[in-house]
Each structure stands twice: as C-alpha cells, then as structure tokens.
Amino acid sequence: MLTVETRHAIDPATAKGLDTAELRSHFHAGGLFADGEIRLVYTHYDRLILGGAVPAGGTLTLDKVEECGTPSILDRREMGILNIGEGGTVSAGGTDYTVNRGDVLYLGMGSGPVTFSGSGRFYILSAPAHRQCPSKLIRIEDARRVELGSAETSNERVILQFLHPEVADSCQLLMGYTQFAPGSVWNTMPAHLHDRRMEAYLYFELGADQRVFHIMGPPDETRHIVMANEEAVISPPWSIHCGAGTGAYTFCWAMAGDNVDFTDMDMVAMGDLR
C-alpha cells in the first residue's frame, strides 16, 4: 500500500504568520512508519521525497509514484535507505541487499522498482538526479566518523556520514546520522544556514515519553516544533535546523541542492539568534 502527501514550499515571510498547527502541517512529518505500508512525503524543497516502508515480515514494492511523473520512481532519481529496525532485505536492479540496523543503502538513478522485505523499518530519502551513480550498501563500520562537541556544552556527538563524497558517490543527495554521548542533548549548535540546500531530519531512538524541541526559522525569528520518536521535520534553505532533547536520541540528516560539500554552511553566531 502506497500513500503520498505533497508539501508545497513556504517562504519565511509566510512562515512568520503560521500558528503551531499550521507550522506543523507544513514542516512536521509524522506517522511515516506503518506496518504493511509505504508512506511518502513529496516536498517542493529541491523535490526531496522522504518516507517510510515497513514490510512487517511481508513484501512491499515501490515503483510508480504519480507525483514524480515517470514510469518508476528511480527513472530520474536517486535514493538513500536507512534501516532503523531489525534486519531486512532491499532488492533493486537485480540485486538483493541485506540491510541491517544502522546500515544505509544507496540506489542510483535507473535502479528500477525497489522491494522491501523482512522485519526492517526503512527510512527512505530520494532526490532528483542528472547522472547515474553506482548503487552501494554502506555498513556502519564503513561510514566516515566525525567526532564533535563536548560534555561541557551538552553536545558531544559523533556524525556518521554515509552518502558523502569520501564514502559513496551520489548526484546530489547527502545523508547520514548523528549519535549523542550520554548526557548530551543539543544538535547542530551553534546553528547554521545553507541557502544552497534544503535539509530533512528524522528523530529516532527516542523514548516514548521523551521529546526533541526542534528549532527552525530565520536566525532572528526562530520557532520550534515538538518532535516525538520516528518523526521527521522538513528544513527549508532559509531556516536554521537544530534542537535539544529531553532524553537520548539519534537523528538522520539528509540534504539536497546545489552541491555535495558537507561543510558548505553559513554559521550563525549565538548572539544573532532571537
């Protein structure tokens, strides 16, 4: 079963006037993971698609998506798939990939229909592509590790980079996830912007009674969205994207836009936040 929701782009002046419910309706994406279903959100921010597939021991196939306007979703797109559940199998382009918890599978343009099976909870990200890159399964131990922050600033963390020029070639999709040391709760602070790329976060491994307060908006007009486990948030190019949790969590980040330079960021000084 496939469902697709479309989210249109919102400019910062319009976003300034949104109340909590309206803000969530544009930028918050919940309920992505449902047994026996594929649920996608098609955004008009760099045409990124995000969503979830939960085969629940059965088989699900992702093929034609009307919103893409092509016979099959990967005819003119690339895809990154993160398994946040138990082990499962993803099949595409005539190859079966065993994707364990924490692994990321990259599928290049032209890979054909994608089939999910087993007990995995698959987080899906897809961006338009103008060239074909080789499909590749990246295990956790093969990811590029970047350790940042400190316990003193409550942001000691390791960034695991999977779809990154030094790990796996992609057209425009960057993808990885960040894990925190015990007692650290702040992500991506000090904050930054990158007007050349949009971004999406999936917060997961968060306790049922825990929440992350995701901060967005222009640096001088910040807002927040309260996030629960396995919920995603869409970050426009004009918005900062950071947050703090009431407990331990991990978040998957993904970017699409003009380049694949992970360090292409416009830093925001703490004194400029409002």
Side-chain angles (χ1 to χ4, degrees):
M1 179 180 179
L2 171 67
T3 58
V4 184
E5 179 187 356
T6 297
R7 302 285 182 91
H8 293 281
I10 300 295
D11 66 90
T14 299
K16 183 177 180 179
L18 302 179
D19 63 18
T20 298
E22 292 168 330
L23 199 72
R24 292 176 70 86
S25 72
H26 286 289
F27 302 109
H28 173 269
L32 296 177
F33 301 92
D35 287 355
E37 296 186 35
I38 299 174
R39 295 183 176 182
L40 304 178
V41 177
Y42 182 102
T43 82
H44 282 255
Y45 297 104
D46 291 293
R47 302 289 173 172
L48 185 80
I49 292 175
L50 57 93
V54 186
T59 299
L60 295 170
T61 298
L62 179 58
D63 191 5
K64 184 177 178 63
V65 175
E66 293 288 347
E67 287 75 5
C68 297
T70 54
S72 189
I73 185 172
L74 292 181
D75 286 351
R76 294 181 59 85
R77 284 180 164 269
E78 59 186 349
M79 182 177 289
I81 301 167
L82 165 66
N83 186 3
I84 63 172
E86 301 303 318
T89 300
V90 179
S91 303
T95 301
D96 298 334
Y97 302 90
T98 299
V99 185
N100 298 320
R101 183 180 182 89
D103 293 343
V104 169
L105 173 63
Y106 172 77
L107 296 176
M109 181 179 68
S111 294
V114 185
T115 299
F116 304 88
S117 58
S119 301
R121 297 173 73 79
F122 299 102
Y123 180 50
I124 300 166
L125 293 153
S126 177
H130 60 264
R131 66 184 178 96
Q132 187 178 53
C133 300
S135 297
K136 182 178 181 179
L137 176 62
I138 308 110
R139 303 290 186 192
I140 297 175
E141 58 268 24
D142 297 324
R144 184 173 185 264
R145 293 175 59 90
V146 180
E147 297 183 4
L148 293 174
S150 68
E152 289 74 18
T153 51
S154 302
N155 67 349
E156 185 179 359
R157 64 201 188 276
V158 58
I159 301 173
L160 296 173
Q161 299 171 336
F162 289 81
L163 302 191
H164 181 281
E166 295 186 30
V167 181
D169 191 26
S170 65
C171 182
Q172 68 157 321
L173 186 62
L174 287 174
M175 181 181 173
Y177 54 87
T178 301
Q179 298 174 320
F180 292 88
S184 287
V185 296
W186 276 103
N187 76 67
T188 325
M189 183 65 78
H192 64 263
L193 297 163
H194 32 68
D195 192 56
R196 295 154 294 281
R197 296 185 305 223
M198 63 82 64
E199 191 157 357
Y201 279 5
L202 173 75
Y203 289 102
F204 64 105
E205 296 183 340
L206 185 66
D209 295 328
Q210 305 296 326
R211 295 292 184 271
V212 172
F213 288 74
H214 178 86
I215 301 171
M216 64 166 294
D220 60 351
E221 190 73 38
T222 60
R223 310 286 295 277
H224 75 269
I225 297 178
V226 180
M227 308 292 299
N229 187 46
E230 296 186 356
E231 293 183 345
V233 64
I234 300 161
S235 180
W238 48 262
S239 174
I240 63 171
H241 33 282
C242 56
T246 61
Y249 64 96
T250 301
F251 72 95
C252 175
W253 44 265
M255 291 175 273
D258 273 337
N259 61 49
V260 290
D261 179 4
F262 183 85
T263 61
D264 179 16
M265 305 172 186
D266 301 319
M267 301 306 297
V268 177
M270 296 294 287
D272 292 336
L273 293 174
R274 295 289 185 270

